[in-house]
Amino acid sequence: MDLELSVVIPAYNEEENIEPCCQEVKTALEPLGINYEIIFVDDGSTDLTFKKLSDLSKNNEKLKVVKLRKNFGQSAALRAGLDHATGRTIVTMDADLQNDPKDIPKLLEKLEKEDLDVVCGWRFDRKDSFSKKLFSKLANRIRKRFTGETIHDSGCTLRTYVKESTESLELYGELHRYIPAMLSWKGYRIGEIKTNHRERKYGKTKYNWKRIVKGFLDLLVVTFWQKYSMRPIHIFGSMGIVLSFIGGIVSAYLVILRLFYGIGITDRPLFTVGIMSLVIGTQFFTIGILADILVKIYYGQNGRKNYLVERIIE
């Protein structure tokens, strides 16, 4: 039988959570009567996580374990799980038991009934420390400002996808937080539902200030890439026009002072500003042209296309 559902669960040093997590997922899916698989991705754990997964796989034919050589981060682990998933629908969640597997049927139901491509979980009543909730709320506000998408909780890993939507995702750094934005830009239909969020019982959180900084930097990159990857000349050319215009105005003003009033201009700060504006403006034009050439090379390789077809009727 074709697999209907793959549940992808990245795990890093979650030895105490592995067995109950696997059991809860199984308990939530069995009543649905569908053919499914559970994929745990061990992201280079240094505790007994992989051993626990290996032991569980011996007695569970639906369990697949993917072990990474080292800790590559959640985005890379998620990408590895998606690459090894064979179900027509994919659910992702954390291994720390804070996501409730009982919400999976609700996610699947909304995906099917509303003909969506992605349904995101919304940790409406979040059971985390005050500082973590505060930083998360701030990050969500910044993300909405940059990306324009309206999902309330982009940091919630509990989501369901049609498999097609995950195939072209490039995940690295902290980009797993911006999957809804990236898919929305590609034209996929995104929805969300409120989900149950639980306190962490075992292990330690992997969330820290370094991930906040890295996440913000990745947000800048993904925003630039999605808005200007097709025509980078639009942003570099615009900046070049503005700087060249400023440099031209300043230079014309200085020329008038020199020719008509005999005033020296080389010792004026405006002289440096005018010349530098013209030079940097020209450089931005050049960078824009080179970036356009690189984009054409990028999409010309391996048959890459700058569009996605939803369906064809013949």
Side-chain angles (χ1 to χ4, degrees), residues 9-243:
I9 310 175
Y12 176 62
N13 290 345
E14 298 288 358
E15 60 182 6
E16 295 175 296
N17 294 317
I18 291 302
E19 188 170 350
C21 180
C22 186
Q23 183 58 47
E24 285 192 29
V25 172
K26 183 178 178 181
T27 301
L29 297 181
E30 288 296 336
L32 300 180
I34 60 177
N35 195 18
Y36 69 90
E37 66 178 355
I38 304 173
I39 303 175
F40 275 94
V41 182
D42 178 15
D43 187 21
S45 297
T46 56
D47 61 0
L48 298 178
T49 295
F50 181 67
K51 184 180 185 305
K52 292 286 184 69
L53 288 171
S54 299
D55 293 341
L56 286 172
S57 66
K58 295 175 182 178
N59 301 314
N60 189 344
E61 61 181 10
K62 296 183 180 295
L63 179 60
K64 182 187 296 185
V65 180
V66 178
K67 187 180 189 307
L68 303 186
R69 290 186 176 273
K70 68 169 190 173
N71 178 234
F72 288 95
Q74 188 171 355
S75 291
L78 197 59
R79 180 68 265 175
L82 296 175
D83 288 339
H84 288 82
T86 55
R88 295 195 299 270
T89 305
I90 299 174
V91 168
T92 61
M93 60 178 291
D94 289 328
D96 57 12
L97 294 178
Q98 290 194 268
N99 293 143
D100 191 346
K102 291 180 182 178
D103 288 321
I104 294 178
K106 293 190 296 183
L107 290 166
L108 296 174
E109 182 181 9
K110 186 175 180 69
L111 187 78
E112 183 178 356
K113 279 190 174 182
E114 299 188 16
D115 192 27
L116 298 170
D117 299 303
V118 184
V119 178
C120 303
W122 174 12
R123 297 167 293 184
F124 183 74
D125 184 17
R126 190 169 176 179
K127 300 297 191 297
D128 277 322
S129 65
F130 174 77
S131 60
K132 192 172 181 180
K133 289 190 286 187
L134 180 63
F135 281 121
S136 181
K137 184 175 291 187
L138 178 62
N140 277 317
R141 285 182 179 274
I142 295 174
R143 170 188 52 79
K144 288 180 181 180
R145 185 76 175 178
F146 275 81
T147 65
E149 54 95 356
T150 57
I151 295 299
H152 287 86
D153 187 4
S154 67
C156 182
T157 308
L158 183 58
R159 304 181 186 126
T160 184
Y161 310 82
V162 295
K163 183 172 176 58
E164 175 195 352
S165 67
T166 68
E167 292 174 347
S168 60
L169 280 174
E170 296 183 7
L171 297 177
Y172 49 85
E174 295 292 317
L175 289 187
H176 63 278
R177 300 179 180 280
Y178 310 118
I179 289 177
M182 291 189 287
L183 292 180
S184 178
W185 279 325
K186 292 182 178 183
Y188 290 105
R189 296 178 293 275
I190 316 291
E192 67 178 343
I193 63 171
K194 294 179 181 179
T195 55
N196 183 34
H197 191 246
R198 305 181 292 191
E199 293 182 5
R200 175 185 272 272
K201 291 184 178 180
Y202 310 109
K204 296 180 179 179
T205 181
K206 315 304 185 296
Y207 191 83
N208 54 47
W209 67 270
K210 293 181 181 179
R211 294 187 64 178
I212 297 174
V213 175
K214 292 176 181 177
F216 178 71
L217 295 176
D218 281 337
L219 174 61
L220 297 179
V221 171
V222 75
T223 302
F224 172 83
W225 178 251
Q226 295 297 335
K227 289 185 177 180
Y228 301 107
S229 62
M230 301 299 179
R231 294 308 306 273
I233 187 64
H234 288 175
I235 183 170
F236 291 115
S238 298
M239 294 171 70
I241 289 174
V242 171
L243 288 173

